[in-house]
C-alpha cells in the first residue's frame, strides 16, 4: 500500500507540474527560493542557463531567507511549490520531517561551495580584532545568563574603542543568522564553563542564553537585503555589518573586513577553514520535479560547470569546495541520492571537507618552504 501511495503521489505531482499554478499561469520554468547569500550565485547560474538554453524560460530565483525558503519548499509537491531551496546552512531534521509529512519524500542535498560570515565596517571606519567571545558579549540578550549592560565596545573589552555598539545583521529567517548563532555566538558562549554545564543540564536554557540576540537597538535586523547592510555601514563609520563574504568581496573598496581571532575573512582563509566563520552553502532539489520541470537537470549541471576555483561563481565570491567534496557533489547532481534524517544528523562530509582543506593547506605550505 505504501509503495502504491508514493507512486500515485509522484504521478499526480507530474500532472500538476505540467499544468497550471495557483495564479493560473503555466509552470514550465524552474523556481528556486531561499538564502540571500546563495541568491547572487543562483542568479548567475540562472543567467548562464538562459544563454545556453534560449528556448527555455528563465529560472525564477527568489531571496526569501534560508528558513523561509525551506518552509516553502517543504509545503508539498506540485506546480505551486518551488523545485529547489537555496540555503546558507544545512536543513534541520525538524524541517526534513515537515517535508516528509507534506509528501516531499525524495530530496537531494548538494553542497555548492563555501562562504564566510563576514563582519565588516566602512573603509576607514571602526576596526577591531573580534573573537566569538567579544561578539557574544556584545550581542547576546543575556550574556552568560546575566543582564546585558554593554553600551560600547570598550564595555565588552577595554582594548576596543569606546564607541557605541551598533551592528546591522540578518533576520531570524536567514541562514546567515543561523550560522552566526552556531559558529560565533555559541562558540563565544561556551567559553564560560558554567554554560558548558548548562548545556548538559538544560539544553533549552542553554540555547536561549547562547543564541538570543539583544533587542534594544544595538543589533538591527535589516531583513534579507544584504546590500542594504552594506549601505548602512557605509553611512556610519562606527557601525558594523554582518553578511556573507561574497558581499564583502563585491564591495571591495567600500567596506573592510574585520578579523576574527586574528584571521582576515579572505577567500583562502575560508577555503582552508582557518576563518572561524567559514560555512557550507547548499541547494535542495525535489526529485519529483526533476522529470516534470523542463531544464531542471540542465540547471543543476550548470552549477557544476561554474563552481570551480577559477570559474564564474568564484569571481563573484563563491569559495570553491575542496576537490574531494566537489567530486562527491558532482556525483550527487548526476545520481540524485535520496536525503535521509540520518544524513542530516551526520557531519562526516563536512568533517572530511575540513580535513582535506587543512591537509591541502599544509601541503601548500610545505611546498612553499
Amino acid at each position: 500500500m505504501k509503495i502504491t501511495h508514493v507512486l500515485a503521489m509522484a504521478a499526480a505531482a507530474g500532472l500538476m507540474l505540467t499544468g497550471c499554478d495557483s495564479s493560473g499561469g503555466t509552470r514550465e520554468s524552474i523556481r528556486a527560493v531561499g538564502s540571500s547569500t546563495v541568491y547572487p550565485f543562483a542568479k548567475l547560474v540562472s543567467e548562464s542557463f538562459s544563454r545556453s538554453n534560449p528556448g527555455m524560460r528563465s529560472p525564477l530565483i527568489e531571496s526569501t531567507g534560508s528558513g523561509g525558503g525551506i518552509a516553502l519548499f517543504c509545503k508539498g509537491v506540485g506546480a505551486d511549490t518551488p523545485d529547489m531551496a537555496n540555503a546558507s546552512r544545512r536543513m534541520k531534521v525538524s524541517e526534513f520531517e515537515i517535508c516528509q509529512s507534506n509528501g516531499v519524500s525524495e530530496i537531494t542535498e548538494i553542497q555548492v561551495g563555501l562562504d564566510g560570515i563576514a563582519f565588516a565596517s566602512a573603509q576607514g571606519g571602526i576596526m577591531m580584532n573580534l573573537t566569538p567571545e567579544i561578539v557574544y558579549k556584545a550581542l547576546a540578550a543575556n550574556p552568560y545568563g546575566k543582564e546585558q549592560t554593554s553600551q560600547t565596545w570598550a564595555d565588552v573589552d577595554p582594548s576596543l574603542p569606546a564607541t557605541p555598539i551598533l551592528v546591522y545583521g540578518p533576520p531570524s529567517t536567514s541562514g546567515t543568522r543561523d550560522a552566526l548563532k552556531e559558529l560565533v555566538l555559541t562558540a563565544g558562549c561556551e567559553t564560560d564553563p558554567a554554560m558548558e554545564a548548562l548545556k548538559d543540564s538544560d539544553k533549552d536554557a542553554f540555547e536561549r542564553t547562547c543564541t538570543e540576540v539583544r533587542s534594544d537597538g544595538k543589533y538591527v535586523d535589516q531583513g534579507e537585503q544584504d546590500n542594504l547592510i552594506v549601505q548602512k555601514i557605509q553611512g556610519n563609520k562606527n557601525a558594523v555589518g554582518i553578511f556573507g563574504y561574497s558581499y564583502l568581496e563585491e564591495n571591495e573598496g567600500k567596506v573592510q573586513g574585520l578579523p576574527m581571532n586574528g584571521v582576515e575573512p579572505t577567500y583562502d582563509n575560508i577555503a582552508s577553514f582557518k576563518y572561524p566563520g567559514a560555512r557550507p552553502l547548499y541547494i535542495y532539489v525535489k526529485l519529483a520535479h526533476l522529470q516534470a520541470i523542463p531544464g531542471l537537470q540542465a540547471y543543476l549541471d550548470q552549477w557544476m560547470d561554474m563552481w570551480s576555483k577559477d570559474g564564474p561563481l568564484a569571481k563573484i565570491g563563491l569559495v570553491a569546495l575542496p576537490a574531494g567534496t566537489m567530486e562527491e557533489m558532482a556525483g550527487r547532481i548526476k545520481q540524485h541520492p535520496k536525503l535521509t534524517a540520518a544524513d542530516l544528523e551526520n557531519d562526516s562530509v563536512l568533517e572530511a571537507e575540513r580535513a582535506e582543506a587543512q591537509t591541502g593547506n599544509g601541503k601548500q605550505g610545505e611546498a612553499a618552504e
Side-chain angles (χ1 to χ4, degrees):
M1 286 292 290
K2 186 174 181 181
I3 294 175
T4 304
H5 177 65
V6 170
L7 290 174
M9 284 185 66
L15 290 173
M16 290 169 65
L17 288 162
T18 53
C20 296
D21 65 16
S22 57
S23 63
T26 58
R27 177 70 155 76
E28 295 179 351
S29 60
I30 298 160
R31 183 186 173 205
V33 296
S35 166
S36 61
T37 299
V38 181
Y39 175 81
F41 308 130
K43 192 71 175 172
L44 186 61
V45 174
S46 171
E47 291 166 0
S48 296
F49 170 86
S50 295
R51 287 194 297 271
S52 301
N53 301 275
M56 293 186 177
R57 296 189 178 185
S58 297
L60 175 62
I61 314 297
E62 301 173 59
S63 177
T64 62
S66 296
I70 291 173
L72 290 169
F73 177 83
C74 288
K75 280 191 172 181
V77 293
D80 58 346
T81 66
D83 312 307
M84 302 172 60
N86 302 323
S88 57
R89 47 87 171 167
R90 205 172 190 195
M91 182 182 282
K92 300 173 184 176
V93 173
S94 59
E95 293 168 329
F96 177 80
E97 290 171 347
I98 291 171
C99 263
Q100 299 295 299
S101 66
N102 289 336
V104 187
S105 57
E106 295 190 331
I107 304 165
T108 285
E109 176 189 71
I110 303 162
Q111 189 181 333
V112 294
L114 299 171
D115 183 50
I117 307 169
F119 290 76
S121 62
Q123 276 289 348
I126 188 171
M127 174 53 70
M128 300 178 286
N129 180 19
L130 299 173
T131 65
E133 183 178 5
I134 286 171
V135 174
Y136 173 72
K137 288 179 177 179
L139 299 185
N142 300 104
Y144 307 123
K146 302 172 184 176
E147 181 183 358
Q148 175 60 271
T149 59
S150 295
Q151 297 299 309
T152 71
W153 290 103
D155 293 336
V156 176
D157 187 310
S159 68
L160 300 178
T163 304
I165 297 167
L166 177 59
V167 177
Y168 293 99
S172 58
T173 55
S174 170
T176 302
R177 178 76 162 264
D178 289 326
L180 171 67
K181 291 178 180 180
E182 178 184 348
L183 299 175
V184 181
L185 295 179
T186 299
C189 182
E190 289 177 337
T191 58
D192 186 331
M195 294 299 101
E196 282 283 8
L198 182 64
K199 185 177 182 179
D200 294 332
S201 63
D202 191 337
K203 286 189 177 182
D204 289 340
F206 172 82
E207 179 77 12
R208 288 194 306 273
T209 304
C210 289
T211 65
E212 283 187 359
V213 175
R214 63 195 300 176
S215 57
D216 59 356
K218 297 295 183 183
Y219 180 92
V220 183
D221 175 339
Q222 284 300 307
E224 296 292 347
Q225 301 298 323
D226 289 2
N227 279 321
L228 182 57
I229 298 177
V230 172
Q231 293 171 20
K232 289 288 187 179
I233 63 175
Q234 278 187 270
N236 184 341
K237 290 186 177 294
N238 290 326
V240 173
I242 304 173
F243 40 66
Y245 163 75
S246 62
Y247 288 87
L248 179 63
E249 184 169 273
E250 180 185 339
N251 292 280
E252 185 180 4
K254 298 178 183 177
V255 298
Q256 59 188 2
L258 305 182
M260 177 75 66
N261 288 346
V263 180
E264 300 283 347
T266 65
Y267 184 102
D268 289 340
N269 287 338
I270 292 167
S272 65
F273 286 92
K274 283 184 177 179
Y275 181 68
R279 58 177 174 168
L281 303 177
Y282 299 92
I283 58 176
Y284 293 91
V285 187
K286 283 178 190 166
L287 300 189
H289 288 206
L290 266 174
Q291 298 301 318
I293 296 296
L296 184 52
Q297 179 61 52
Y299 177 73
L300 296 179
D301 292 340
Q302 192 75 46
W303 269 98
M304 192 167 54
D305 291 342
M306 298 175 68
W307 67 16
S308 70
K309 185 173 182 179
D310 299 320
L313 294 176
K315 289 180 172 61
I316 62 168
L318 184 74
V319 177
L321 298 168
T325 307
M326 187 177 291
E327 183 178 355
E328 179 174 347
M329 295 304 144
R332 290 187 186 184
I333 284 178
K334 296 297 185 185
Q335 298 164 12
H336 319 127
K338 183 179 173 181
L339 181 68
T340 67
D343 292 331
L344 293 172
E345 293 169 344
N346 183 357
D347 288 331
S348 60
V349 172
L350 185 57
E351 288 168 2
E353 184 177 341
R354 287 178 185 272
E356 182 184 353
Q358 289 164 1
T359 300
N361 186 67
K363 287 179 179 178
Q364 290 172 9
E366 290 170 10
E369 292 173 4

